[in-house]
Amino acid sequence: MPGTLEINPDAPLGSNLWKEIVRGRAISGRPCKSGVYFILMQGTRPLLDSRTYDSGIPGIGLRIRIPSSCYMGYWPGRCELNNWAGSSGAYLLEISLVKVGPITTGGELTGTFGEQRINGGEQKAIYMWDGSVEISLRKPTCSVSSTFIDVPLGQFSTKAFTGIGSTTASQNFNIELQCSGGDAGSTLKVHTTLTDATNETNVSNVLSLSRDSQASGVGIQILNDATVLDLGPNAKWHAGNVQHGESTFTIPLSARYVQTADNITPGTANGNATFTMSYQ
């Protein structure tokens, strides 16, 4: 199964939210004696109606069938076998998720969900999710309001610095997102990555001065609240969550100069950072 399934909670009652044929793989087992048997195929969770099982997520039912067996209907059902050799391989399973009631939240499909029993007694096979499958609601979508943000840091005397690591007052700025859509109760996780446009290999927390800058001995730090942010493609940080119905999402930031060397040369001191947004 896919690791994540995004479903539509506003689908009509009784409709398929997702249906796919997936491959079940054998993990372990032992051969059974050959002979005449009937195989009972059934889910292991409570039945909601004659062919739909409780998936474990409110409002979502589960239907199971094997599309290439002597019984091809939705479980529960039985399959009679004459002179069965007693061995089984992998199966192709058809899994259907069905809307059976109001859906207000997502969840996980995990653990055992089906089984086969010989003559209704001894267990022949069990079916379980390989890991877990996350069921999520459709999330809001967002875009950046402005891809260029100018942050005036102000003018400072070199005497404002008292040594390496000393800083000036921070100047506030925001990254604004415009968001829409999504289903009631859904949440979109927003992540941001900052890179140094002057030196893309910079993985420190100090932005380099641009090549046209005249000053030296200082750099620029970017902060989220009181946290100085690291730079580089692997320094992704969680900026917050967008809730359904939230049209504007603001990421508050600030920037300041920081002394990086014993001696400071006065002059223009500019920096360029690139911000990349990612959403989950």
Side-chain angles (χ1 to χ4, degrees):
M1 292 279 286
T4 302
L5 290 176
E6 192 174 83
I7 55 97
N8 176 15
D10 296 324
L13 193 67
S15 62
N16 280 326
L17 301 168
W18 186 87
K19 182 171 74 172
E20 194 68 64
I21 293 177
V22 299
R23 179 172 295 278
R25 59 185 177 89
I27 297 176
S28 63
R30 60 181 177 83
C32 301
K33 295 178 181 179
S34 61
V36 179
Y37 300 92
F38 76 83
I39 307 300
L40 177 64
M41 304 174 182
Q42 62 185 7
T44 54
R45 298 190 60 85
L47 267 172
L48 301 176
D49 61 34
S50 61
R51 293 292 183 264
T52 307
Y53 292 91
D54 178 9
S55 71
I57 301 174
I60 300 178
L62 174 67
R63 290 177 183 161
I64 317 158
R65 75 185 189 99
I66 299 177
S68 57
S69 70
C70 59
Y71 173 75
M72 293 186 289
Y74 288 112
W75 297 2
R78 52 185 284 169
C79 186
E80 294 189 2
L81 297 173
N82 294 321
N83 298 317
W84 178 47
S87 62
S88 300
Y91 288 99
L92 292 177
L93 296 176
E94 183 184 283
I95 303 293
S96 300
L97 300 178
V98 183
K99 183 174 180 179
V100 295
I103 302 172
T104 59
T105 185
E108 284 190 339
L109 304 176
T110 186
T112 300
F113 64 87
E115 66 178 2
Q116 294 185 23
R117 289 187 176 273
I118 301 170
N119 295 333
E122 183 182 358
Q123 196 174 59
K124 170 183 176 287
I126 60 173
Y127 296 85
M128 65 187 70
W129 304 111
D130 189 1
S132 63
V133 182
E134 180 185 358
I135 305 297
S136 64
L137 308 182
R138 291 181 303 182
K139 302 175 186 296
T141 58
C142 298
S143 61
V144 178
S145 300
S146 175
T147 58
F148 180 82
I149 303 172
D150 187 22
V151 185
L153 293 180
Q155 295 183 345
F156 297 93
S157 167
T158 57
K159 295 180 180 180
F161 299 95
T162 57
I164 294 176
S166 61
T167 61
T168 62
S170 298
Q171 303 299 315
N172 296 328
F173 68 100
N174 298 321
I175 297 175
E176 298 280 354
L177 304 180
Q178 296 301 314
C179 305
S180 62
D183 296 313
S186 62
T187 300
L188 180 71
K189 296 179 180 179
V190 178
H191 295 85
T192 307
T193 304
L194 294 171
T195 54
D196 188 338
T198 303
N199 177 13
E200 294 182 354
T201 63
N202 183 1
V203 292
S204 71
N205 60 9
V206 178
L207 186 66
S208 306
L209 297 184
S210 59
R211 294 182 178 87
D212 61 354
S213 296
Q214 300 169 342
S216 65
V218 296
I220 299 171
Q221 290 179 329
I222 302 174
L223 299 85
N224 175 237
D225 292 329
T227 302
V228 179
L229 299 174
D230 290 330
L231 303 169
N234 297 321
K236 182 170 70 173
W237 54 279
H238 183 210
N241 298 330
V242 177
Q243 307 296 329
H244 167 73
E246 192 172 3
S247 59
T248 302
F249 182 77
T250 301
I251 303 173
L253 299 170
S254 62
R256 67 190 182 189
Y257 289 118
V258 58
Q259 184 173 347
T260 58
D262 291 330
N263 298 315
I264 298 176
T265 302
T268 56
N270 301 317
N272 295 302
T274 300
F275 63 89
T276 303
M277 310 304 301
S278 60
Y279 310 98
Q280 293 179 340

